[in-house]
Amino acid sequence: MREYLLAMTVALAVTLLLGGPVRALAIRLGLVPVIRERDVHETPKPRVGGLAMFIGLAAALTVAGHFPMLERDVYGESNTIQALLWGTFLVVVLGMVDDKFELDPLTKFAGQIFAASVMVVKGIQISWLVIPGIGIVAVDPTLSIVVSVFLVLVLMNAVNFVDGLDGLAAGITCIAGLASFAYCYRLAISYKLSGATAPALIAIVTVGICLGFLAHNWHPARMFMGDTGSMLLGMLLAATSITVMGGIDPYQLGAGLSQTSSVHKLVPAYLPLIMPISVTLLPIADMVMAVVRRTKAGMSPLAADKGHLHHRMLQIGHSKRRAVLIMYFWSALVAFVTVLFAVTPSRQPIVYGAIAMTLVGLLMLLGPRLGDHRERLRTKALRVGSAPTARHRAGAGSTGGPAEGESAIPAIAASAENGADNTNPDGGMRPRTLSR
């Protein structure tokens, strides 16, 4: 555990310290795109924060290669880390170009396929799957490449789609990384599977770069990760899952006896595929709804719009921070429920407690907000009732007399705004009859 925490600390510190210089460099080089129609921020900000995240990732993985246990079980056993660095480097280059020049959807998608294919061909591949009713089946090399690339593309675009509010994508990915690390660490400790060490390292380093970047990206954000960072995080989540299904023997999970094995014995073998999908359920659901919505509207499935979950939460009255926290709690709830199946019965009460606390927090965020409700009513009254208030003040002049220069002009202006002729032929004000 100590070596994992050290790797996470290096990733966090490097990302945190480089955030400022990367932001300054982006401003100096003019890498501050104009505000797009779908954006919710009001001032232009750099969108290349993913560069700091990639440097933090590379630094942590380089330092981790000098730790005895990680050097033996990760760097000495396979070329997983080299394949990961190649894939993430290519996706970061693609993201920076897209953040600067706004690539068209097809070009961007082709670049994603190329980056994912390089990482997969270099060694991060699925070697087995668990099929309900059949059990654990080996995957031939060609199908392995296709399935692995597909999973990378799904998670890259899912995280990319959800990256619309300050701290949203980084926080959800951090929660997903923690859940994945908990599962992989248990495989490495409880089942003594050295093949689970690499995905555990990738997951905990992902947590580190997310925490380091959140210091710059929490509302109000000083810098955005852009497509550079969102595609990087999606690739890291996919690499964690694929490495589990390619680096360990499924029959050592206590589940692979035969095709007649019971379902509960196969749960540990299902989790490597279920885990990344479950902990990123909100981004994936958002992506699926976006594809359906755009296709029905006759648009390209990869075209941008303002119909994402976070846009809708803002439209119904949630503040930016509250919307982000609600999505955090939903992601944490799903992650904790998934992790519940991976822990031993003696540790399950702890997970149940975490689930209960998450539910309480979620209910508090979704519950009635009296203060916010009063503020909305007050704002609505000031906006809608300003003209009647002026007219009432004008009408009060018949009894007590208006203040000097206060009643006549507002009353006439209010009448003009309502499109009515309220003057008598002799030039005086004619009494109004309020109607619906």
Side-chain angles (χ1 to χ4, degrees):
M1 176 63 78
R2 182 173 62 251
E3 295 185 0
Y4 291 121
L5 293 179
L6 286 174
M8 184 193 74
T9 304
V10 171
L12 189 157
V14 173
T15 305
L16 177 64
L17 294 176
L18 286 181
V22 168
R23 179 179 181 274
L25 178 63
I27 295 175
R28 176 171 296 184
L29 297 178
L31 300 176
V32 185
V34 297
I35 298 177
R36 301 165 295 188
E37 183 181 355
R38 67 181 185 271
D39 292 332
V40 298
H41 58 282
E42 299 176 354
T43 57
K45 297 177 183 178
R47 286 206 303 262
V48 292
L51 178 60
M53 301 168 72
F54 172 72
I55 297 175
L57 169 73
L61 294 179
T62 301
V63 172
H66 299 282
F67 299 157
M69 185 270 291
L70 295 177
E71 182 182 10
R72 180 186 68 250
D73 294 339
V74 179
Y75 296 82
E77 294 291 332
S78 66
N79 61 343
T80 299
I81 302 303
Q82 291 83 351
L84 179 68
L85 288 175
W86 268 108
T88 52
F89 171 75
L90 292 175
V91 86
V92 164
V93 172
L94 172 67
M96 292 185 65
V97 173
D98 183 48
D99 288 332
K100 174 61 178 177
F101 300 105
E102 288 284 338
L103 299 176
D104 63 272
L106 289 179
T107 301
K108 179 180 174 180
F109 189 63
Q112 291 177 344
I113 294 177
F114 175 72
S117 300
V118 170
M119 184 182 75
V120 169
V121 169
K122 283 188 170 293
I124 298 182
Q125 298 180 18
I126 294 173
S127 60
W128 53 269
L129 288 172
V130 180
I131 301 177
I134 298 178
I136 300 173
V137 296
V139 180
D140 66 83
T142 302
L143 182 60
S144 173
I145 293 176
V146 173
V147 174
S148 301
V149 171
F150 175 76
L151 183 59
V152 174
L153 293 176
V154 168
L155 290 178
M156 275 201 300
N157 286 285
V159 178
N160 189 19
F161 277 31
V162 83
D163 181 28
L165 293 177
D166 297 349
L168 182 57
I172 289 180
T173 305
C174 182
I175 295 170
L178 283 172
S180 300
F181 173 74
Y183 170 68
C184 295
Y185 184 76
R186 179 174 181 265
L187 291 183
I189 299 302
S190 301
Y191 290 91
K192 308 298 181 183
L193 298 177
S194 60
T197 308
L201 174 63
I202 298 172
I204 200 65
V205 170
T206 302
V207 172
I209 63 175
C210 288
L211 292 176
F213 185 72
L214 275 173
H216 302 279
N217 192 233
W218 186 249
H219 183 76
R222 298 188 297 274
M223 178 173 55
F224 300 139
M225 68 173 65
D227 288 355
T228 310
S230 60
M231 292 191 296
L232 169 65
L233 294 181
M235 177 171 279
L236 290 175
L237 290 179
T240 302
S241 174
I242 294 173
T243 306
V244 173
M245 292 184 287
I248 63 176
D249 183 357
Y251 292 95
Q252 294 179 351
L253 294 175
L257 298 178
S258 66
Q259 296 182 358
T260 60
S261 297
S262 60
V263 174
H264 75 276
K265 289 184 177 181
L266 283 171
V267 167
Y270 278 105
L271 282 178
L273 182 60
I274 296 174
M275 180 72 72
I277 296 176
S278 63
V279 297
T280 55
L281 184 62
L282 281 180
I284 291 177
D286 189 22
M287 180 185 67
V288 172
M289 289 188 295
V291 171
V292 174
R293 179 178 66 250
R294 295 166 185 173
T295 303
K296 289 179 63 176
M299 301 168 55
S300 169
L302 301 177
D305 60 12
K306 295 191 69 173
H308 293 291
L309 289 175
H310 50 272
H311 289 131
R312 297 187 182 186
M313 295 183 72
L314 295 179
Q315 292 168 4
I316 64 176
H318 291 294
S319 66
K320 294 179 181 179
R321 287 187 179 182
R322 186 182 292 273
V324 169
L325 289 175
I326 289 174
M327 296 189 76
Y328 280 3
F329 274 90
W330 276 118
S331 299
L333 181 63
V334 177
F336 283 135
V337 171
T338 306
V339 170
L340 181 65
F341 294 99
V343 299
T344 58
S346 61
R347 300 293 180 90
Q348 287 185 355
I350 300 176
V351 183
Y352 280 122
I355 293 174
M357 293 176 62
T358 304
L359 282 173
V360 171
L362 185 59
L363 291 176
M364 291 177 63
L365 288 170
L366 293 176
R369 306 184 302 277
L370 185 58
D372 292 350
H373 183 62
R374 287 178 176 175
E375 183 63 28
R376 287 197 300 272
L377 290 179
R378 187 180 299 111
T379 303
K380 183 178 180 180
L382 291 175
R383 183 174 63 253
V384 177
S386 57
T389 301
R391 290 194 294 270
H392 293 162
R393 288 179 179 175
S398 60
T399 57
E404 182 179 356
E406 179 179 294
S407 61
I409 294 177
I412 295 172
S415 301
E417 289 175 358
N418 288 276
D421 182 11
N422 297 317
T423 58
N424 287 325
D426 58 358
M429 296 300 296
R430 184 168 61 194
R432 283 181 58 88
T433 300
L434 297 177
S435 60
R436 297 180 66 86

